[in-house]
Amino acid sequence: MFGRMQLSEKITMNLLLLILGAVWVIPMIYLVMYSFEGDGWGNYQAVVSLELFPHFLINSFIVSTSVVLLLLVVVSLAAFGFSKLRFPGDSAVFAICLIGLMIPPVAMLVPLFQTIKSFHWMNTYLSLIGPEVAMSIPFSLLLARNAFDEVPGELLEAAEIDGSNAWGRFVHVMLPLAIPVLTTIGILAFLNSWNQYVLPLVFISKETMLTVTMAPKFFIKEYTSDYHKVFAALVLITIPVVILYIFGQKYMQRGLTSGAIK
C-alpha cells in the first residue's frame, strides 16, 4: 500500500521533525540555563531544602499512583464490557462516555468544586484523585476498547469451551494481550496527574497536602520573586516525568497504535 519514500521526501520529513523537536527542546534548554543563573546549584539546594518539599513529593506520588491504579481497573473492565460483552444500548452508552472528550476541563471546575465541597473532600487526596480519574476515562476508554477489539473472538470462544466464565476470560485472555495499551494509559495518567496544577490550586488550601507542582509558588512573593529558583523547581518537577517517558516510550508507541489496523 505504501511505497518507499524518495530521498527528497525523507529530507523534507526529517526537516519537519527537526523543527517540531526544536519547538519542544529549545524552551527546555532555556529553562535549565535560567535555573542556574544567580546562585547556580544554590537554586536547586534552596528548592530541595524547602521544608514542605518532601511532603509535596509524597503527595504527588500517592495521588498519581492512586489515579493510575483506579483508572486501569475502571477502564479495563469497561473496555472489556463494551468490546466483548454485548448488551442493549452499548453503543449509545459508549458514545455518552466519549462526550467527556469534547468538554474542556476548565469548564468543569465549578461543578467539580460544588461536588467536592458537598462530599467534604476539600484538602484530601480524594479531591485530586476523583476528578483526575473521571477526566481521564474518556480518552483512556477509547484507547482500551480499540485495543480490545483487536483480540480475536475465537480466543474467547476457546476459553469459554474450556469452561472459563466471563471473569476468567477477562483475566486470563484479555489482560495479558492488553498490556501495551494499559501500560500506555498508565503512563499518560501518571504524567497528567503528576503535572496537574489547577486541581491542587482549587481544592487544596492546606500546605502539607499540596503537590509538587505547587512548589514554585513558594518563591513568588507579593512584591519580589526569585524566578531562578522557580525555574530550578520546574526542572526538578520535570525530571521524574522525563525519566518515566524515556523508559516507557516504546510501550506508549505500541499502545497508541493499538486498534489502528483492523
Side-chain angles (χ1 to χ4, degrees):
M1 182 181 294
F2 298 101
R4 281 191 171 185
M5 296 180 63
Q6 299 180 357
L7 179 60
S8 59
E9 294 175 335
K10 290 182 179 179
I11 294 175
T12 303
M13 182 66 67
N14 288 331
L15 286 175
L16 290 175
L17 293 175
L18 185 62
I19 294 173
L20 289 174
V23 170
W24 292 97
V25 172
I26 291 177
M28 294 297 297
I29 293 175
Y30 278 107
L31 175 65
V32 175
M33 290 173 54
Y34 290 152
S35 69
F36 283 102
E37 291 187 358
D39 297 333
W41 286 104
N43 295 329
Y44 289 89
Q45 186 177 359
V47 176
V48 174
S49 60
L50 195 66
E51 184 179 357
L52 293 172
F53 194 71
H55 291 279
F56 299 158
L57 289 175
I58 294 173
N59 293 337
S60 290
F61 182 78
I62 292 175
V63 171
S64 299
T65 304
S66 301
V67 167
V68 170
L69 295 177
L70 186 58
L71 181 65
L72 288 179
V73 171
V74 173
V75 167
S76 59
L77 289 172
F80 178 66
F82 285 121
S83 177
K84 302 303 181 183
L85 303 179
R86 299 304 176 189
F87 56 91
D90 54 349
S91 298
V93 175
F94 182 72
I96 293 174
C97 293
L98 297 185
I99 290 178
L101 292 172
M102 299 180 286
I103 303 176
V106 177
M108 295 187 286
L109 276 181
V110 174
L112 275 177
F113 182 83
Q114 295 296 333
T115 303
I116 297 298
K117 188 177 179 181
S118 62
F119 285 171
H120 304 287
W121 285 359
M122 300 293 290
N123 291 311
T124 65
Y125 290 134
L126 291 175
S127 66
L128 305 178
I129 296 172
E132 187 66 35
V133 171
M135 290 187 293
S136 301
I137 283 177
F139 181 68
S140 301
L141 180 59
L142 180 63
L143 287 180
R145 188 201 178 186
N146 289 340
F148 280 25
D149 285 342
E150 280 191 337
V151 178
E154 289 78 5
L155 291 178
L156 299 179
E157 292 175 1
E160 186 176 3
I161 293 174
D162 290 338
S164 179
N165 56 17
W167 177 254
R169 297 194 295 274
F170 170 71
V171 173
H172 299 295
V173 178
M174 298 299 298
L175 285 185
L177 296 175
I179 287 178
V181 71
L182 294 180
T183 303
T184 300
I185 291 171
I187 292 174
L188 292 176
F190 188 92
L191 297 182
N192 290 335
S193 180
W194 185 273
N195 293 327
Q196 183 60 250
Y197 181 82
V198 176
L199 296 182
L201 184 66
V202 175
F203 300 138
I204 304 295
S205 58
K206 194 176 180 180
E207 289 188 345
T208 55
M209 291 297 298
L210 292 174
T211 57
V212 73
T213 52
M214 296 291 105
K217 80 172 190 175
F218 284 83
F219 300 100
I220 301 176
K221 308 298 181 183
E222 185 176 0
Y223 299 105
T224 59
S225 299
D226 194 339
Y227 286 106
H228 300 308
K229 291 183 176 60
V230 171
F231 293 144
L234 293 175
V235 172
L236 291 176
I237 294 170
T238 307
I239 289 175
V241 174
V242 173
I243 294 175
L244 180 62
Y245 178 76
I246 290 175
F247 286 100
Q249 60 177 336
K250 64 177 181 179
Y251 299 105
M252 292 184 65
Q253 293 169 1
R254 290 174 57 189
L256 289 173
T257 55
S258 295
I261 300 177
K262 299 291 185 182

